[in-house]
Amino acid sequence: MTRRSWLVFLAALVPALAFGWLGFPRLLYVAADQPLQFSHRTHASEAIGLTCEDCHAFRADAEFAGIPTLAKCADCHSEPIGDSAEEKRLVDEFVKPGREIPWHVYARQPDNVRFPHAAHVKRAGIACDGCHGAHGVSATLVAFESDRVSGYARGLATMDECEACHRERGRGTLACIGCHR
């Protein structure tokens, strides 16, 4: 290959790689704000003292119930108890009319994946923030990003991350059927 051919090759390769690393994710993912802002920090503060499990509980069959229903929020928020605009919106737009909050849910797994929260939280003793980060100190919710093609959330744990976590805890690599249907 001549020097000129190498220069032409590199002149094409560098922008292509830059687009792949920087541009493609911006085209692939779409961001949407959550329908309502929520402060985990306020709810987990010493004054209120809620834990993750108070709102994000397990059902009787040990499956994770996910985002709390409006009824759970209405237990405390039938009327505004603070002075935030978002709490007033919660009461006026959702609680009083009995309209569920259309949260964008990061935890929706691909149809072929099974992730038993109970096994990880109750049996393995992994704290919620071990996978989900320090939501207990967040004052706002981050924008929801989803893949335009699959519709799945950006930021779900990858198979490599799951396998690494299992290796770190001495659980070894699971057979495919352990997580995939």
Side-chain angles (χ1 to χ4, degrees):
M1 205 175 212
T2 67
R3 179 181 162 102
R4 180 177 162 93
S5 297
W6 273 109
L7 289 175
V8 170
F9 173 74
L10 289 174
L13 178 65
V14 170
L17 289 173
F19 172 76
W21 280 313
L22 304 172
F24 184 68
R26 289 191 176 107
L27 292 175
L28 181 60
Y29 294 101
V30 61
D33 287 332
Q34 290 289 357
L36 192 65
Q37 273 302 318
F38 177 86
S39 173
H40 283 95
R41 179 186 305 157
T42 297
H43 289 80
S45 70
E46 283 187 32
I48 297 174
L50 294 175
T51 66
C52 299
E53 295 80 14
D54 289 329
C55 297
H56 303 284
F58 290 97
R59 295 189 304 248
D61 64 359
E63 285 296 313
F64 183 61
I67 303 297
T69 63
L70 182 65
K72 185 71 175 173
C73 300
D75 284 347
C76 297
H77 296 283
S78 59
E79 292 294 329
I81 55 177
D83 57 1
S84 83
E86 288 298 289
E87 184 186 19
K88 183 170 176 11
R89 277 191 60 224
L90 166 69
V91 172
D92 293 344
E93 294 179 27
F94 299 102
V95 174
K96 286 186 177 176
R99 189 177 129 223
E100 286 292 334
I101 305 166
W103 296 112
H104 300 291
V105 181
Y106 275 99
R108 185 175 149 243
Q109 296 290 329
D111 293 338
N112 69 330
V113 174
R114 179 173 48 90
F115 181 84
H117 270 90
H120 292 83
V121 175
K122 293 186 181 282
R123 196 169 3 158
I126 299 172
C128 300
D129 62 4
C131 298
H132 295 284
H135 283 296
V137 297
S138 65
T140 60
L141 299 173
V142 297
F144 176 78
E145 291 184 311
S146 63
D147 182 316
R148 291 179 195 266
V149 177
S150 70
Y152 294 118
R154 184 175 193 177
L156 289 175
T158 65
M159 189 167 149
D160 289 341
E161 291 170 329
C162 294
E163 288 179 335
C165 184
H166 275 248
R167 274 193 306 278
E168 288 169 13
R169 288 174 168 71
R171 299 295 298 163
T173 302
L174 298 175
C176 300
I177 198 69
C179 303
H180 294 272
R181 300 170 208 238

